[in-house]
Amino acid sequence: MSGRILKEKAKNLQLQKGSKYEFIRTLIGQDFFDSPKTTQKLIDEVRDVFGKKLKTNEVQTYMKKFMGEGIIRAVRSSGFSGNFWVLASVSKEKALQVINKNRKIMAIEEELFSDKLLKKFENNFDIEISDLRHNFGLSGNCTAFLLRKILEKLIYITFSKNGIEAKLEDKTKPGWLVGLEMMINLCVSEKVNGVPFLMSKTAKEIKGIKFLGDVSAHNPLTNVDIKTIIPQMPYIITAYEELTKKL
């Protein structure tokens, strides 16, 4: 059955008005499930589009209705926990091809957007994280810029939480802050209870994402390819984790 017919079928389903089933039906009509989506991606989309919370343990329950109607299929892939959800017109083989092609990106997303790390960010990064979710894996320019911005903002907030934000001020330009490279260097030299904000190896490695972020923001002739960002991700995630310990 074609995707168009399945979307029409979903549109005509008798569902309880105001229920969470309607969120899924709307996303089906908006082509969200034309490619495989993780449970977390679905939860994020419901929050971003409808402003509502869909719990992880609820997803399977609400999906059963659409699976029973032959509209949505669940696909599992080795190496990933949980299901991928996709329109039933997409074969399992095709879905797995897409999943495996994007395996590295999705593995990084699971770590980058883990509940553990996001909880440490508290509410200070809601907009940046939301923008990053939309762009990660799709736009190298946007991803590089946002990763850089989150790093710079996180450094400032952690210094502020520890009462040393004045050390980030540019003494030659009143009211301005030093550049990110200097911020990173200060993260190595400044310590709390003998532990630096960033370990020296981490600080060295994340200068790659600083460079890519600078390119995305300031170089009008060059675009950042997502492939150049992926190798930098273990270091930037480590940097975020080290900094959030100072919050």
Side-chain angles (χ1 to χ4, degrees), residues 3-241:
R4 180 183 60 80
I5 294 175
L6 290 178
K7 291 172 188 178
E8 190 65 26
K9 185 176 181 180
K11 182 180 178 181
N12 293 324
L13 281 180
Q14 295 297 315
L15 301 174
Q16 182 181 348
K17 190 172 182 180
S19 70
K20 294 180 179 180
Y21 289 110
E22 291 194 325
F23 300 154
I24 298 171
R25 173 162 64 185
T26 299
L27 293 177
I28 290 172
Q30 293 177 348
D31 305 333
F32 179 73
F33 293 104
D34 284 10
S35 61
K37 296 295 189 297
T38 62
T39 293
Q40 186 59 54
K41 278 285 188 182
L42 172 57
I43 291 171
D44 294 340
E45 192 73 5
V46 168
R47 184 197 61 222
D48 293 344
V49 174
F50 305 103
K52 301 291 184 178
K53 186 174 183 180
L54 183 63
K55 298 178 181 178
T56 302
N57 58 5
E58 292 179 319
V59 171
Q60 182 80 28
T61 299
Y62 288 106
M63 278 300 188
K64 281 182 179 179
K65 174 71 173 178
F66 299 93
M67 293 171 70
E69 295 289 341
I71 297 170
I72 292 289
R73 74 161 73 243
V75 178
R76 297 186 70 88
S77 176
S78 60
F80 287 99
S81 58
N83 292 323
F84 287 84
W85 309 100
V86 67
L87 206 63
S89 56
V90 179
S91 69
K92 179 179 179 180
E93 292 72 22
K94 178 63 176 177
L96 286 172
Q97 284 179 9
V98 173
I99 291 167
N100 290 330
K101 182 179 180 181
N102 297 317
R103 178 178 292 271
K104 198 163 190 177
I105 289 175
M106 286 188 286
I108 290 172
E109 281 183 322
E110 283 194 9
E111 186 176 3
L112 179 61
F113 301 127
S114 68
D115 290 340
K116 180 180 177 182
L117 183 56
L118 293 182
K119 187 175 181 179
K120 292 179 180 178
F121 280 144
E122 296 178 332
N123 299 319
N124 296 308
F125 296 87
D126 287 352
I127 294 176
E128 290 88 353
I129 294 298
S130 178
D131 288 345
L132 187 57
R133 287 185 191 277
H134 284 299
N135 290 286
F136 193 82
L138 299 175
S139 169
N141 284 327
C142 294
T143 299
F145 176 80
L146 287 164
L147 289 171
R148 185 195 189 285
K149 180 181 179 183
I150 291 171
L151 176 62
E152 194 166 10
K153 183 175 178 178
L154 187 55
I155 291 172
Y156 182 83
I157 290 175
T158 53
F159 270 54
S160 181
K161 288 272 188 178
N162 289 276
I164 57 172
E165 67 272 21
K167 291 182 178 290
L168 298 174
E169 296 175 2
D170 188 334
K171 302 300 187 292
T172 66
K173 297 179 182 179
W176 288 66
L177 300 176
V178 297
L180 181 56
E181 185 168 3
M182 179 58 72
M183 285 186 176
I184 293 172
N185 292 337
L186 286 168
C187 283
V188 176
S189 60
E190 295 297 326
K191 300 179 180 180
V192 176
N193 297 324
V195 180
F197 283 74
L198 287 175
M199 301 304 290
S200 58
K201 178 175 174 55
T202 305
K204 178 182 177 181
E205 297 294 350
I206 60 172
K207 289 183 179 178
I209 202 64
K210 174 204 173 294
F211 169 75
L212 293 175
D214 289 346
V215 169
S216 68
H218 304 301
N219 191 329
L221 302 178
T222 304
N223 292 310
V224 177
D225 192 316
I226 193 69
K227 292 178 182 178
T228 65
I229 296 175
I230 297 304
Q232 308 292 328
M233 291 309 302
Y235 306 116
I236 192 68
I237 292 171
T238 298
Y240 290 166
E241 289 176 342

